[in-house]
Amino acid sequence: MKRTDFYFDLPADLIAQRPSAVRGQDRLMLLGRTSGAVAHHKMDDLPDLIDDGTLMVFNNSRVRRARLFGVKETTGREVEFMFLNQAAFGEGCVWNTMVKNAKKQKAGMRYQFPDGSVATILDDPQNAGTEFRLLKFGFAITEEWFEKNGHIPLPPYIKREDEAADGERYQNVYADQTGSAACPTAGLHFTQEMLGRLSQKGVERVFVTLHVGLGTFLPVREDQIEDHKMHQEFYTIEAEAAQKINQAKKDGRPILAVGTTSVRTLESAAGESLAGQNAAASEGLIKAGTRGTSIFMYPGYKFKVVDQMFTNFHTPESTLIMLVSAFAGRENILAAYQEAVRERYRFFSYGDCMLIK
């Protein structure tokens, strides 16, 4: 398929630059997965739209203050780094980063960060010609270091600097596993009150963890989407969560994944469980543990676990709109997005939401 098959025209003023005034006060579009039928709701209506017996799966990853500015020693100029994850590369503390003006940031160059600490770019032929660089520090980087030196990594389509309020609003209320370079933003619509209402209705929920790297959000540059390669991200599913997911599948209860990261986690784990086993006997079963995934879902992908999806509205020609198109059909998704534009829904991370069932 062509990348341009997933393009849609979006007025710039519909890209949400800030969250709603009150968390959870957002619009919700209900989309029929097979029919393509659209209905307009509010987030407050969600409990009434969820089927009895549904198991909801949330990603509890917390956003790290992963956007940092280092001063290049040779020029005195600030250079922006996005810290993705610690790398297993030689000795010392080495981090995978994505850097602006990457062509000018070369092996051996040194950068000083706000607290005076210094890091050096390592020679890394594997990342040659890409946005990615390995940074080596002389000490172990801690979450306290990120809190002291870093910024909330707002997406590039939010045309402003991060503010104090983003420290709270660009985190999910249930997030407690720090490690993401971007927020799993479908969860931003949920308040503790909403979680309580869902529990009162008898909706069961479990948490998985996928730490979001920027590979998920890098643009698809290839004309043929099949040629695009996803960067690896890491996920964890605890044994209790795996057991509850497997039981729900066995009972024929719907699995509702909150966000594309939860979808990627569940489908990756199911793929792992199928490897080397009898597919008919193990289809849909989740395997607990921590693993890496570079799964890329686009139309033609057959979902093994996820029955329903709660998600935001995604950017044109992105891997995320390809994922939801795999789930609900490209024509249904593009038609729903056109309707959202007509109805002036707010798009992307701080925007409105969609329930696909």
Side-chain angles (χ1 to χ4, degrees):
M1 301 186 75
K2 292 185 180 297
R3 182 187 70 241
T4 52
D5 291 337
F6 300 89
Y7 177 80
F8 65 95
D9 189 33
L10 179 66
D13 65 334
L14 295 184
I15 300 173
Q17 297 298 306
R18 283 181 164 76
S20 55
V22 178
R23 188 189 290 265
Q25 297 300 304
D26 307 296
R27 299 171 72 186
L28 186 156
M29 176 183 285
L30 176 63
L31 173 65
R33 181 180 179 185
T34 56
S35 69
V38 166
H40 302 290
H41 293 272
K42 297 177 295 184
M43 181 62 189
D44 198 53
D45 299 332
L46 181 64
D48 297 328
L49 302 176
I50 295 181
D51 302 321
D52 291 341
T54 295
L55 174 66
M56 297 184 72
V57 182
F58 295 81
N59 180 8
N60 62 5
S61 181
R62 184 173 177 82
V63 181
R64 172 180 286 134
R65 287 186 172 268
R67 181 173 175 243
L68 289 100
F69 295 88
V71 176
K72 187 190 293 189
E73 287 190 345
T74 55
T75 65
R77 292 184 177 179
E78 274 194 339
V79 177
E80 180 179 340
F81 292 89
M82 190 71 73
F83 282 63
L84 302 178
N85 57 273
Q86 193 164 350
F89 190 95
E91 298 181 356
C93 182
V94 180
W95 278 78
N96 287 312
T97 68
M98 191 166 95
V99 56
K100 280 197 172 180
N101 298 317
K103 290 182 180 179
K104 297 181 179 180
Q105 319 310 324
K106 300 177 181 179
M109 290 182 172
R110 289 160 51 90
Y111 303 81
Q112 182 172 317
F113 291 90
D115 67 343
S117 56
V118 176
T120 305
I121 291 183
L122 297 181
D123 185 28
D124 179 25
Q126 185 175 348
N127 280 330
T130 72
E131 302 96 331
F132 300 96
R133 296 290 184 272
L134 292 176
L135 270 186
K136 182 176 180 178
F137 291 80
F139 60 97
I141 298 299
T142 64
E143 293 305 329
E144 289 75 18
W145 186 85
F146 284 110
E147 286 293 320
K148 181 179 179 180
N149 292 279
H151 295 259
I152 291 293
L154 295 179
Y157 46 73
I158 294 181
K159 304 298 184 183
R160 60 177 177 84
E161 293 299 312
D162 63 301
E163 301 168 356
D166 295 307
E168 184 259 335
R169 291 302 300 272
Y170 195 65
Q171 299 279 12
N172 293 317
V173 297
Y174 47 78
D176 58 8
Q177 302 296 316
T178 302
S180 278
C183 184
T185 53
L188 293 178
H189 305 280
F190 290 84
T191 62
Q192 292 294 353
E193 179 187 9
M194 174 57 70
L195 295 174
R197 288 178 60 197
L198 292 168
S199 295
Q200 289 174 1
K201 187 179 177 180
V203 176
E204 187 178 17
R205 66 176 174 267
V206 298
F207 295 96
V208 298
T209 305
L210 183 143
H211 291 313
V212 184
L214 292 197
T216 299
F217 303 99
L218 283 177
V220 178
R221 297 188 174 97
E222 293 80 6
D223 291 333
Q224 297 293 327
I225 66 172
E226 295 85 353
D227 296 332
H228 177 72
K229 304 298 182 186
M230 296 285 288
H231 283 76
Q232 190 176 54
E233 296 169 316
F234 291 90
Y235 69 86
T236 298
I237 302 178
E238 301 292 346
E240 182 180 0
Q243 187 276 327
K244 290 182 177 180
I245 295 163
N246 290 334
Q247 189 63 50
K249 293 302 290 185
K250 181 179 179 181
D251 296 341
R253 296 157 49 204
I255 303 291
L256 170 53
V258 177
T260 57
T261 57
S262 296
V263 174
R264 285 167 51 76
T265 299
L266 294 173
E267 295 298 315
S268 296
E272 286 287 338
S273 72
L274 290 171
Q277 300 183 26
N278 181 287
S282 61
E283 184 172 3
L285 295 181
I286 293 296
K287 190 175 181 180
T290 297
R291 298 176 188 83
T293 180
S294 55
I295 191 170
F296 178 24
M297 286 173 271
Y298 51 85
Y301 178 83
K302 303 300 182 184
F303 286 81
K304 306 175 185 68
V305 182
V306 178
D307 304 300
Q308 301 174 7
M309 189 187 308
F310 180 96
T311 187
N312 282 6
F313 292 89
H314 303 294
T315 54
E317 300 184 353
S318 65
T319 59
L320 302 180
I321 195 172
M322 293 170 190
L323 185 155
V324 295
S325 294
F327 189 73
R330 185 181 70 92
E331 294 78 10
N332 288 346
I333 289 294
L334 291 180
Y337 276 42
Q338 289 172 358
E339 174 74 3
V341 170
R342 283 193 296 269
E343 294 293 325
R344 299 195 60 78
Y345 276 68
R346 302 169 76 239
F347 278 69
F348 308 161
S349 294
Y350 273 153
D352 295 313
C353 51
M354 171 186 284
L355 174 62
I356 308 173
K357 56 177 286 194

